[in-house]
Amino acid sequence: MSQTCDVVVLLSGTGSNLQALIDSTRTGDSPARIAAVISNRADAYGLQRARDAGIDTRFLDHKAFEGREAFDAAMIELIDAFNPKLVVLAGFMRILSAGFVRHYQGRLLNIHPSLLPKYKGLHTHQRALEAGDTEHGCSVHFVTEELDGGPLVVQAVIPVELQDSQQSLAQRVHSQEHLIYPMAVRWFAEGRLSLGEQGALLDGKLLAASGHLIRT
C-alpha cells in the first residue's frame, strides 16, 4: 500500500463533488485522505458535508481582504498548514491568482462541466444546447494560469438528447462528475497521475490532448 495522500478540497457551494470524493476515500483501499475542506462562504453546504464526515473545515472570507492576491496568500497559508500533496477545486467560485496557481503547480486539480476546450467559464449546459451539440460532458484538468485551460486528465462524454433541458443535461453531467473526479484523485494519490512538461501523464505516458476519454 502506498503512502496516504492528504488532500485539501476548496469549495463555495453545496459540495456534491466533495461528497463523491468523501465516499470514494472511505472504501478502505483508497490512498487518498481528505485532510480539510476550505470555503470562502460560511454558508456553503459543503462545509456541513465535511463536518458530518469528521473532516476539518475552515472558512476564509474573501471580502475581508484587499484584493485577490492578499486573499490567495492567506489561502496558501491556510492550505499549507495541512501539508497536502493535492489540492482539489470542487466548485470553488473564485478566479485564482497566478501566484496561487504556481505555488501548487502539478498538484492542483479542477473539474469543469463541459468538454474542454469547449465552453470555458459559466453557463456551459446552456451554451452546449444553443450550439446544437450532440455531445456534452465534463473534464478534470490540472490548473494552470489560463482559466479552465490546463492539461486534461479525464473527460466523460454523454450524448445530448433531443428533449434535454439545461436542468436534465446538468443532472446527467453531474452524475459523470461524481465518477471521474474520484477516479482522477485516486490516480494522483496512487502516484499514477502527474503533470509533465508536455502535459498530463498517466502511468508515465503522455495523455492525449483530450485526456482519458470515457463515453456513456
Side-chain angles (χ1 to χ4, degrees), residues 123-161:
H123 311 302
T124 59
H125 312 306
Q126 176 186 338
R127 289 154 71 190
L129 288 172
E130 287 173 354
D133 290 354
T134 58
E135 291 185 327
H136 189 43
C138 48
S139 311
V140 177
H141 65 96
F142 280 105
V143 178
T144 62
E145 292 175 46
E146 181 190 350
L147 178 66
D148 298 329
L152 290 164
V153 174
V154 55
Q155 293 190 311
V157 184
I158 63 168
V160 178
E161 310 290 357

Coordinates of all heavy atoms in Angstrom, one line a residue, residues 123-161:
H123 N -22.2 28.8 -17.6 CA -23.4 28.5 -18.4 C -23.1 27.5 -19.5 O -23.5 27.6 -20.6 CB -23.9 29.8 -19.0 CG -24.1 31.0 -18.1 ND1 -25.0 30.8 -16.9 CD2 -23.6 32.2 -18.0 CE1 -24.9 32.0 -16.3 NE2 -24.1 32.8 -16.9
T124 N -22.3 26.5 -19.1 CA -21.8 25.5 -20.1 C -23.0 24.7 -20.7 O -23.0 24.4 -21.9 CB -20.8 24.6 -19.5 OG1 -21.4 23.9 -18.4 CG2 -19.6 25.4 -19.0
H125 N -24.0 24.3 -19.9 CA -25.0 23.5 -20.5 C -25.9 24.2 -21.4 O -26.3 23.7 -22.5 CB -25.9 22.9 -19.3 CG -25.1 22.3 -18.2 ND1 -24.1 21.3 -18.4 CD2 -25.0 22.6 -16.9 CE1 -23.5 21.0 -17.3 NE2 -24.1 21.8 -16.3
Q126 N -26.2 25.5 -21.1 CA -27.0 26.4 -22.0 C -26.3 26.6 -23.3 O -26.9 26.5 -24.4 CB -27.2 27.7 -21.3 CG -28.0 28.7 -22.1 CD -28.0 30.1 -21.4 OE1 -27.9 30.2 -20.2 NE2 -28.2 31.1 -22.2
R127 N -25.0 26.8 -23.2 CA -24.2 27.0 -24.4 C -24.1 25.8 -25.3 O -24.2 25.9 -26.5 CB -22.8 27.5 -24.0 CG -22.8 28.9 -23.5 CD -21.6 29.2 -22.5 NE -20.4 29.4 -23.2 CZ -19.2 29.4 -22.6 NH1 -19.2 29.3 -21.3 NH2 -18.1 29.5 -23.3
A128 N -24.0 24.6 -24.7 CA -24.0 23.4 -25.5 C -25.3 23.2 -26.2 O -25.3 22.8 -27.4 CB -23.7 22.2 -24.6
L129 N -26.4 23.4 -25.5 CA -27.7 23.3 -26.1 C -27.9 24.3 -27.3 O -28.4 24.0 -28.3 CB -28.8 23.4 -25.1 CG -29.0 22.3 -24.1 CD1 -29.9 22.6 -23.0 CD2 -29.4 21.0 -24.8
E130 N -27.5 25.5 -27.0 CA -27.7 26.6 -28.0 C -26.9 26.3 -29.3 O -27.3 26.7 -30.4 CB -27.4 28.0 -27.4 CG -28.4 28.5 -26.5 CD -28.0 29.8 -25.7 OE1 -26.8 30.2 -25.9 OE2 -28.8 30.3 -25.0
A131 N -25.7 25.6 -29.1 CA -24.9 25.3 -30.2 C -25.3 24.1 -31.0 O -24.8 23.8 -32.1 CB -23.4 25.1 -29.7
G132 N -26.3 23.4 -30.4 CA -26.8 22.2 -31.1 C -25.9 21.0 -31.0 O -25.9 20.1 -31.9
D133 N -25.1 21.0 -30.0 CA -24.1 19.9 -29.8 C -24.8 18.6 -29.6 O -25.8 18.5 -29.0 CB -23.2 20.2 -28.6 CG -22.2 21.4 -28.8 OD1 -22.2 21.9 -29.9 OD2 -21.5 21.7 -27.8
T134 N -24.2 17.5 -30.2 CA -24.7 16.2 -30.0 C -24.1 15.5 -28.8 O -24.6 14.5 -28.3 CB -24.5 15.3 -31.2 OG1 -23.1 15.3 -31.5 CG2 -25.2 15.9 -32.4
E135 N -22.9 16.1 -28.3 CA -22.2 15.5 -27.2 C -21.9 16.6 -26.2 O -21.6 17.8 -26.6 CB -21.0 14.8 -27.6 CG -21.2 13.5 -28.3 CD -19.9 12.7 -28.6 OE1 -18.8 13.4 -28.8 OE2 -19.9 11.5 -28.6
H136 N -21.9 16.3 -24.9 CA -21.5 17.2 -23.9 C -20.8 16.4 -22.8 O -20.7 15.2 -22.9 CB -22.8 17.9 -23.4 CG -22.6 19.0 -22.4 ND1 -21.6 20.0 -22.6 CD2 -23.2 19.3 -21.2 CE1 -21.7 20.9 -21.6 NE2 -22.7 20.5 -20.8
G137 N -20.4 17.0 -21.7 CA -19.8 16.2 -20.6 C -19.1 17.1 -19.6 O -19.4 18.3 -19.4
C138 N -18.0 16.5 -19.1 CA -17.3 17.2 -18.0 C -15.8 16.8 -18.1 O -15.5 15.7 -18.7 CB -17.8 16.9 -16.6 SG -18.1 15.1 -16.3
S139 N -14.9 17.6 -17.6 CA -13.5 17.5 -17.7 C -12.8 17.7 -16.4 O -13.1 18.7 -15.7 CB -12.9 18.5 -18.7 OG -13.7 18.5 -19.9
V140 N -11.8 16.8 -16.1 CA -10.9 17.0 -15.0 C -9.6 17.5 -15.6 O -9.1 16.8 -16.5 CB -10.7 15.8 -14.1 CG1 -9.7 16.0 -13.0 CG2 -12.0 15.3 -13.5
H141 N -9.0 18.5 -15.0 CA -7.8 19.0 -15.6 C -6.9 19.6 -14.5 O -7.3 20.0 -13.4 CB -8.0 20.1 -16.7 CG -8.7 21.4 -16.1 ND1 -8.0 22.5 -15.8 CD2 -10.0 21.7 -15.9 CE1 -8.8 23.4 -15.3 NE2 -10.0 23.0 -15.4
F142 N -5.6 19.6 -14.8 CA -4.6 20.3 -14.0 C -4.9 21.8 -14.2 O -5.2 22.3 -15.3 CB -3.2 20.0 -14.3 CG -2.7 18.7 -13.8 CD1 -2.6 17.5 -14.6 CD2 -2.3 18.6 -12.4 CE1 -2.1 16.3 -14.1 CE2 -1.9 17.4 -11.9 CZ -1.8 16.2 -12.7
V143 N -4.7 22.6 -13.1 CA -5.0 24.0 -13.2 C -3.7 24.7 -13.5 O -2.6 24.5 -12.9 CB -5.5 24.5 -11.8 CG1 -5.7 26.1 -11.9 CG2 -6.8 23.9 -11.4
T144 N -3.8 25.6 -14.5 CA -2.7 26.5 -14.9 C -3.2 27.9 -14.9 O -4.4 28.1 -14.5 CB -2.2 26.1 -16.3 OG1 -3.3 26.4 -17.3 CG2 -1.7 24.7 -16.4
E145 N -2.4 28.8 -15.3 CA -2.8 30.2 -15.2 C -3.9 30.6 -16.2 O -4.5 31.6 -16.0 CB -1.6 31.1 -15.4 CG -0.6 31.0 -14.2 CD 0.7 31.8 -14.4 OE1 0.6 33.0 -14.8 OE2 1.8 31.2 -14.1
E146 N -4.1 29.7 -17.2 CA -5.2 30.0 -18.1 C -6.5 29.4 -17.6 O -6.5 28.3 -17.2 CB -4.9 29.3 -19.5 CG -5.9 29.5 -20.5 CD -5.7 28.7 -21.8 OE1 -4.7 28.1 -21.9 OE2 -6.6 28.7 -22.6
L147 N -7.5 30.3 -17.5 CA -8.8 29.9 -17.0 C -9.3 28.6 -17.7 O -9.5 28.7 -18.9 CB -9.8 31.0 -17.0 CG -11.2 30.7 -16.5 CD1 -11.2 30.4 -15.0 CD2 -12.2 31.8 -16.9
D148 N -9.6 27.6 -16.9 CA -10.1 26.3 -17.5 C -9.3 25.8 -18.7 O -9.8 25.2 -19.6 CB -11.6 26.5 -17.9 CG -12.5 26.9 -16.8 OD1 -12.2 26.4 -15.7 OD2 -13.5 27.6 -17.0
G149 N -8.0 26.1 -18.6 CA -7.2 25.8 -19.8 C -6.0 24.8 -19.5 O -5.2 24.6 -20.4
G150 N -5.9 24.2 -18.3 CA -4.8 23.3 -18.0 C -4.9 22.0 -18.7 O -6.0 21.6 -19.2
P151 N -3.8 21.2 -18.7 CA -3.8 19.9 -19.4 C -4.9 19.0 -18.9 O -5.1 18.8 -17.7 CB -2.4 19.3 -19.0 CG -1.6 20.5 -18.8 CD -2.5 21.5 -18.2
L152 N -5.6 18.4 -19.8 CA -6.8 17.5 -19.5 C -6.3 16.1 -18.9 O -5.4 15.6 -19.5 CB -7.7 17.3 -20.7 CG -8.4 18.6 -21.1 CD1 -9.0 18.5 -22.5 CD2 -9.6 18.9 -20.1
V153 N -7.0 15.7 -17.9 CA -6.7 14.4 -17.3 C -7.7 13.3 -17.8 O -7.4 12.3 -18.3 CB -6.7 14.5 -15.8 CG1 -6.6 13.1 -15.1 CG2 -5.6 15.4 -15.3
V154 N -9.0 13.6 -17.6 CA -10.1 12.7 -18.0 C -11.3 13.5 -18.3 O -11.6 14.5 -17.7 CB -10.3 11.6 -16.8 CG1 -10.7 12.3 -15.5 CG2 -11.4 10.6 -17.2
Q155 N -12.0 13.0 -19.4 CA -13.3 13.6 -19.8 C -14.4 12.5 -19.9 O -14.1 11.4 -20.4 CB -13.2 14.3 -21.1 CG -12.3 15.5 -21.1 CD -12.4 16.3 -22.4 OE1 -12.3 15.8 -23.5 NE2 -12.6 17.6 -22.3
A156 N -15.6 12.8 -19.4 CA -16.7 11.9 -19.5 C -17.6 12.5 -20.6 O -18.0 13.7 -20.5 CB -17.5 11.7 -18.2
V157 N -17.9 11.7 -21.6 CA -18.7 12.2 -22.7 C -20.1 11.6 -22.7 O -20.2 10.4 -22.6 CB -18.1 11.9 -24.1 CG1 -18.8 12.4 -25.3 CG2 -16.6 12.3 -24.1
I158 N -21.2 12.4 -22.7 CA -22.5 11.9 -22.8 C -23.2 12.4 -24.0 O -22.9 13.5 -24.5 CB -23.3 12.3 -21.5 CG1 -23.5 13.8 -21.4 CG2 -22.7 11.7 -20.3 CD1 -24.5 14.3 -20.3
P159 N -24.2 11.7 -24.6 CA -25.0 12.2 -25.7 C -26.0 13.3 -25.2 O -26.5 13.2 -24.1 CB -25.7 11.0 -26.2 CG -25.8 10.1 -25.0 CD -24.6 10.3 -24.2
V160 N -26.2 14.3 -26.0 CA -27.2 15.3 -25.8 C -28.5 14.7 -26.4 O -28.6 14.4 -27.6 CB -26.9 16.7 -26.4 CG1 -28.0 17.6 -26.1 CG2 -25.6 17.2 -25.8
E161 N -29.6 14.6 -25.6 CA -30.8 14.1 -26.1 C -31.7 15.2 -26.6 O -31.6 16.4 -26.2 CB -31.6 13.4 -24.9 CG -30.8 12.4 -24.1 CD -30.4 11.1 -24.9 OE1 -30.9 11.0 -26.1 OE2 -29.7 10.2 -24.4

